[in-house]
Amino acid sequence: MPYAKPFLTIQQQLALLQQRGLQITDVAKANACLGRIGYYRLSGYLHSFRESQVVKDANGVTTTQILDNYRAGTDLQTIVDLYVFDKKLRLLMLDAMERIEVALRVEVATLLGARSGWAHRDPAQLNQRFVQTVKPGSQLPQHQEWVRRIDDTFARSKEDFVKHFKSRYAGDHLPIWMSIELWEFGTLSVFFGGMLGKDKNTIAQKYGVPLGLELETWLRNLNVCRNICAHHSRLWNKPSVIQMRLPAAKAAPELAHIIGNTHAQTRVYGSALIATYLLRSINPTSSWCQRFVALTKEFPQTPHVSLAQAGFPTGWDKQSIWN
C-alpha cells in the first residue's frame, strides 16, 4: 500500500503531539524546537514515552502493542533534554573512536609494513577465509573487493600527500603506512578481521585483549556505533547487530560484569565499556572515562526512560574500570 499520509505543518505537528498527550508549556519554544530539530527526528526519542498494552491473539500468544498516546506526565522539554543528552553522547563516543582508530592504524601499519610496503595487498599475508570467500552480492573474493575499494578511494582522494605521490610515482600503489591514512574505520575493521590470527593476537595483546578474534568483534561493534554517531542518528538506546566476544573473567576482570548480559553488550554501554578499556592502553592519562561518567549524570530525570535501556547494568558506576 503506498504511503498516503499528508505533510504536516509545524503547527499541525504540535497539535497532533498535544492530542496524543504530550505536555507543551511554551508553544513558541516548541515551535522553534520542531523547526530546528524536525518532527521525524524527535519522534525517535518520543517512541520510548508511548503507552503500551499487552494483547493476546486467538492462539493465546501475547504481544506488547505500542500505542499512539504518550504516558501521563510526558512533556516536550524532557524529550528535548534526552535529544541533547544523546547528541553529547555521540560526540563523546566519536572522540573515543577517533583515538582508537588512529592508534590501530599505527599498529597495523607498523606490524605489516615491517614485512612489506604492500602487505595489505598480498594474499600470503592474510587469512585464507578473507582471501577466498565471496560474499553474497559480490562477484569478487572479499580481499579483492576490499582492494578494489581502497584503490577507488586512492583514485578519488584530494589529499596533498596523495597528489604528491601520484606526481612522483605514476601508476603505483600506496604503501600500507600511507594507504592506511585513507581507510575509514569500517575499512580498517574489515582488514583487521582479514589478518592472520597471529598478527591479530599480537596487536590485541598490546591493548590487554587476549585474542585477536575478541578485538575483531570489538572493532565491528565500535564501527556500527561510529556510523550511528557520524550520521547523527539516535544512539542512546539503539541496539547493535554486533555482539562482542569477551575474554574470560580472569583475563579481563573489568569486563566481567557484562559477561552473559546480551542487552549490555549490544547497547551503547557495551561499546563505551570496551572503548574505555582500550583507551587505558592507548592513552593512560586520558580523561575520557571521567567525562563519560559525568555525562551520564545529565540523563533526564523521568520515570519513563532510564540508562538501563541503554544497557547500563545496576551498579555499573561502582565497577573499578569507571573509577
Side-chain angles (χ1 to χ4, degrees), residues 113 122 129-130 143 194 215 253 279 320:
D122 183 1
R129 176 178 51 83
F130 185 51
H143 178 233
L215 181 57
L279 286 174
S320 60

Side-chain angles (χ1 to χ4, degrees), residues 171-227:
D172 212 339
H173 299 298
L174 290 172
I176 188 170
W177 52 86
M178 297 175 67
S179 178
I180 206 166
E181 292 300 319
L182 299 177
W183 303 358
E184 296 180 346
F185 197 108
T187 306
L188 179 61
S189 65
V190 168
F191 182 78
F192 184 86
M195 291 170 60
L196 294 172
K198 64 177 184 178
D199 291 337
K200 288 192 285 190
N201 289 343
T202 296
I203 292 175
Q205 288 161 13
K206 288 192 173 185
Y207 299 140
V209 185
L211 297 175
L213 182 58
E214 293 162 347
L215 181 57
E216 179 184 342
T217 66
W218 292 18
L219 295 176
R220 290 171 60 203
N221 178 285
L222 291 176
N223 183 53
V224 171
C225 182
R226 180 210 168 275
N227 288 342

Side-chain angles (χ1 to χ4, degrees), residues 6 21 34 41 47 65 69 101 117 213 224 242 253 256 293 298 321:
L34 287 182
R41 173 177 288 274
H47 185 79
Q65 183 180 50
N69 291 341
E101 178 181 351
L213 182 58
V224 171
I242 305 298
V293 174
E298 298 182 27
I321 194 168

Side-chain angles (χ1 to χ4, degrees), residues 37-59:
I37 301 173
Y39 173 83
Y40 190 75
R41 173 177 288 274
L42 210 57
S43 67
Y45 299 88
L46 279 161
H47 185 79
S48 296
F49 293 83
R50 289 165 66 175
E51 292 181 348
S52 62
Q53 66 180 13
V54 176
V55 180
K56 184 180 292 187
D57 65 17
N59 297 318

Side-chain angles (χ1 to χ4, degrees), residues 16-86:
L16 179 61
L17 291 172
Q18 289 178 308
Q19 179 184 334
R20 293 178 173 176
L22 183 67
Q23 296 179 5
I24 299 176
T25 55
D26 189 331
V27 175
K29 186 176 180 180
N31 187 76
C33 176
L34 287 182
R36 182 176 68 254
I37 301 173
Y39 173 83
Y40 190 75
R41 173 177 288 274
L42 210 57
S43 67
Y45 299 88
L46 279 161
H47 185 79
S48 296
F49 293 83
R50 289 165 66 175
E51 292 181 348
S52 62
Q53 66 180 13
V54 176
V55 180
K56 184 180 292 187
D57 65 17
N59 297 318
V61 178
T62 59
T63 56
T64 301
Q65 183 180 50
I66 305 298
L67 306 178
D68 288 335
N69 291 341
Y70 299 109
R71 298 173 186 175
T74 302
D75 64 280
L76 181 59
Q77 187 57 54
T78 299
I79 309 303
V80 173
D81 290 344
L82 181 59
Y83 171 81
V84 171
F85 168 82
D86 190 50

Side-chain angles (χ1 to χ4, degrees), residues 95 99 279-280 282-291:
D95 178 43
R99 298 171 190 230
L279 286 174
R280 292 190 318 171
I282 293 169
N283 186 0
T285 61
S286 170
S287 63
W288 190 90
C289 171
Q290 290 80 11
R291 286 186 285 138

